[in-house]
């Protein structure tokens, strides 16, 4: 660990089972993590960042329905004590829905029962994901067993966050990433082209007039694109997109 993440602090659940399956590492200059509870399937603690404070549980569910029951008991006990935002993240080794497994044996009710009951009883929600659909594969069966779930307080007090399911590379699991600290807004927003502009009566004329200003060489193409970007922003502003969206949403409701 000192070679991989020098000057970081780290903690494992060694001593709570035949293998120390869970490791937590944090950069102490930016994050404070206080361990509050440890078992063979859960490490639980308090996270403090520059702007946020929440409770965090890293999980590694064991490989059978029977052996995972201790994990669900532990998480229920923690839920009874927690009064603030709570994030649970890791390899649950368990699925919730039939869509969570592709190929392999048919999903049975007893495989999803414990997870579903925990989510309902403790009022937990899964954070939305972007990226890959399944988080583990043996190149034949594809399963979604790695998740990030949160309690109701998190949904109310924390900003809307997504879980990025990253490429596994040399692993059989896809790593999960949640960016809790949102970078400060620099004031500059990326250019977005709205598809409806292509149907605007002034679109083709605007592009033609501004593209004809500079000719030849790549620097000319770059300058033309910058000019057209400015004109597209003006065209979008004149169209009053926000008012259009409000009207459409009202009609949809």
């Amino acid at each position: 660990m000192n070679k991989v993440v020098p000057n970081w602090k780290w903690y494992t659940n060694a001593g709570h089972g035949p293998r120390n399956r869970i490791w937590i590492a944090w950069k102490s200059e930016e994050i404070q993590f206080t361990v509050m509870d440890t078992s063979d399937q859960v490490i639980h603690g308090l996270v403090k960042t520059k702007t946020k404070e929440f409770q965090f549980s890293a999980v590694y569910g064991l490989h059978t329905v029977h052996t995972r029951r201790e994990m669900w008991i532990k998480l229920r006990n923690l839920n009874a004590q927690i009064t603030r935002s709570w994030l649970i993240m890791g390899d649950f080794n368990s699925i919730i829905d039939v869509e969570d497994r592709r190929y392999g044996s048919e999903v049975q009710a007893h495989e999803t029962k414990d997870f579903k009951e925990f989510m309902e009883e403790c009022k937990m929600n899964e954070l939305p994901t972007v990226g890959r659909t399944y988080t583990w594969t043996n190149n034949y069966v594809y399963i979604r067993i790695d998740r990030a779930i949160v309690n109701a307080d998190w949904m109310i007090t924390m900003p809307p966050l997504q879980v990025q399911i990253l490429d596994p590379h040399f692993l059989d699991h896809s790593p999960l990433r949640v960016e809790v600290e949102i970078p400060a807004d620099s004031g500059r927003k990326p250019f977005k082209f709205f598809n409806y502009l292509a149907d605007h009566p002034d679109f083709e004329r605007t592009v033609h007039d501004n593209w004809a200003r500079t000719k030849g060489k790549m620097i000319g193409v770059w300058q033309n694109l910058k000019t057209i970007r400015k004109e597209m922003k003006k065209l979008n502003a004149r169209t009053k997109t926000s008012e259009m969206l409000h009207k459409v949403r009202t009609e949809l409701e």
Side-chain angles (χ1 to χ4, degrees), residues 21-186:
R21 292 180 169 92
I22 309 174
W23 297 60
I24 297 181
W26 63 96
K27 194 172 184 179
S28 56
E29 298 171 0
E30 300 178 6
I31 294 174
Q32 180 182 340
F33 180 66
T34 305
V35 179
M36 302 172 68
D37 200 308
T38 308
S39 66
D40 62 336
Q41 299 182 74
V42 182
I43 295 178
H44 177 76
L46 178 65
V47 175
K48 291 184 179 180
T49 70
K50 293 177 181 178
T51 63
K52 304 285 190 303
E53 183 174 319
F54 59 92
Q55 297 207 25
F56 172 69
S57 298
V59 302
Y60 185 101
L62 295 180
H63 293 82
T64 68
V65 172
H66 175 72
T67 53
R68 281 194 298 270
R69 282 182 183 147
E70 287 298 321
M71 177 181 71
W72 302 123
I73 293 172
K74 169 64 70 176
L75 293 175
R76 279 187 173 87
N77 290 339
L78 289 171
N79 178 68
Q81 305 167 23
I82 290 173
T83 57
R84 65 179 76 195
S85 299
W86 184 25
L87 168 65
I88 310 173
M89 193 168 174
D91 176 8
F92 289 86
N93 250 317
S94 182
I95 58 178
I96 300 178
D97 298 306
V98 294
E99 293 83 5
D100 290 337
R101 184 162 66 216
R102 186 180 182 187
Y103 309 125
S105 59
E106 185 177 347
V107 175
Q108 304 295 318
H110 73 276
E111 295 180 76
T112 63
K113 179 176 179 291
D114 292 338
F115 205 159
K116 282 183 176 179
E117 288 181 351
F118 168 73
M119 295 287 285
E120 292 171 4
E121 290 175 17
C122 298
K123 297 179 175 60
M124 305 297 291
N125 296 277
E126 182 175 6
L127 289 178
T129 61
V130 293
R132 300 169 72 92
T133 302
Y134 301 98
T135 64
W136 179 90
T137 182
N138 59 1
N139 294 322
Y140 172 67
V141 179
Y142 294 82
I143 314 178
R144 182 182 175 86
I145 52 177
D146 303 85
R147 282 183 156 84
I149 61 177
V150 295
N151 66 352
D153 188 84
W154 177 289
M155 300 294 290
I156 295 170
T157 61
M158 298 291 279
L161 300 174
Q162 292 181 321
V163 181
Q164 292 176 288
I165 303 178
L166 307 176
D167 291 334
H169 298 297
F170 59 89
L171 304 170
D172 56 354
H173 284 263
S174 294
L176 307 183
R177 179 170 67 189
V178 178
E179 294 187 33
V180 177
E181 293 278 9
I182 307 299
D185 188 358
S186 63

